[in-house]
Amino acid sequence: MKYKGIELEGLDKKVKLSHSRVMETDEGTDWIEKLLTCDKAALTPTQFHEVSALSSVINMDYQICNGGIGQYVGNGYHEYRAPYSDDDVEHYGAVEQVYMLRALADFGDNVFPYADSCNREVRQWANLFDHIDFDSVDYYDEVIGEYVSPEAVEECEQSYYGGVSDHVGLLCEAYAQYLCKSYGID
């Protein structure tokens, strides 16, 4: 399969992003690993932005699948963060993550046309996520004596766990391959 003149291979492999760094390991993420460990100083500003956007979606996936949207917000993954060092990327907030999810779904339409329903689900989920009020993700319910999430947050989480996350992992790995090959990263 070619995408914008770049030959993409192994698109049928199993890809699994780890959702528990203690209990699980990533599977089939060789291109993601290459991309995220490349020399960031050698990237153009546009390339650095693309790598940062993809990394931000991967971090979002990990946080949501590991502990829900409450953990994602509690740990600040919905907000911008500058790189910690020269080897790090920027972490973009929720707005940029939604934009990248939509771009990944568009990429999926070209590279995985047989998965049009999965690509559509990623777009639909991005739209749900885009409407979450991060200031009220979890609140303390005094009647039951515990923190609860609004129904919209629970619906968004269940939809993500129900298959969107798996397709996002596949899209991230394929897009990482495209970026690596277009940047000349071996």
Side-chain angles (χ1 to χ4, degrees):
M1 161 67 67
K2 278 195 173 191
Y3 178 72
K4 294 185 178 182
I6 304 290
E7 185 69 36
L8 301 178
E9 306 162 320
L11 298 177
D12 58 345
K13 71 179 178 178
K14 181 180 178 182
V15 175
K16 182 178 180 309
L17 298 177
S18 170
H19 298 140
S20 168
R21 294 190 176 131
V22 174
M23 304 290 288
E24 303 173 27
T25 58
D26 291 342
E27 292 178 33
T29 58
D30 303 330
W31 291 104
I32 290 172
E33 181 69 23
K34 281 182 187 183
L35 186 66
L36 296 181
T37 58
C38 75
D39 178 9
K40 309 304 183 294
L43 299 175
T44 68
T46 299
Q47 292 169 338
F48 185 78
H49 174 80
E50 291 173 325
V51 173
S52 295
L54 187 63
S55 175
S56 297
V57 166
I58 293 167
N59 289 337
M60 177 212 70
D61 178 83
Y62 170 75
Q63 288 292 309
I64 291 174
C65 288
N66 183 264
I69 294 174
Q71 176 175 305
Y72 162 84
V73 171
N75 289 341
Y77 281 82
H78 65 301
E79 299 173 329
Y80 173 82
R81 177 191 51 79
Y84 288 121
S85 67
D86 291 342
D87 293 337
D88 197 11
V89 294
E90 292 176 295
H91 177 81
Y92 298 125
V95 171
E96 187 75 24
Q97 291 165 12
V98 166
Y99 178 79
M100 186 62 191
L101 283 167
R102 290 175 180 145
L104 285 169
D106 291 345
F107 169 77
D109 288 340
N110 289 286
V111 178
F112 301 107
Y114 58 85
D116 61 330
S117 64
C118 294
N119 298 326
R120 188 172 43 258
E121 286 177 15
V122 170
R123 269 188 212 87
Q124 290 169 343
W125 187 85
N127 291 338
L128 277 176
F129 190 66
D130 195 26
H131 290 93
I132 297 290
D133 177 5
F134 294 116
D135 292 331
S136 64
V137 168
D138 288 326
Y139 62 92
Y140 190 75
D141 186 324
E142 292 190 22
V143 173
I144 62 173
E146 60 186 52
Y147 283 92
V148 295
S149 295
E151 190 174 318
V153 172
E154 289 183 16
E155 177 187 347
C156 197
E157 287 176 347
Q158 292 308 313
S159 174
Y160 199 73
Y161 304 147
V164 171
S165 174
D166 292 338
H167 194 60
V168 166
L170 180 64
L171 291 171
C172 287
E173 174 65 7
Y175 194 67
Q177 180 182 170
Y178 166 71
L179 293 179
C180 282
K181 288 183 174 184
S182 66
Y183 300 168
I185 298 171
D186 294 327

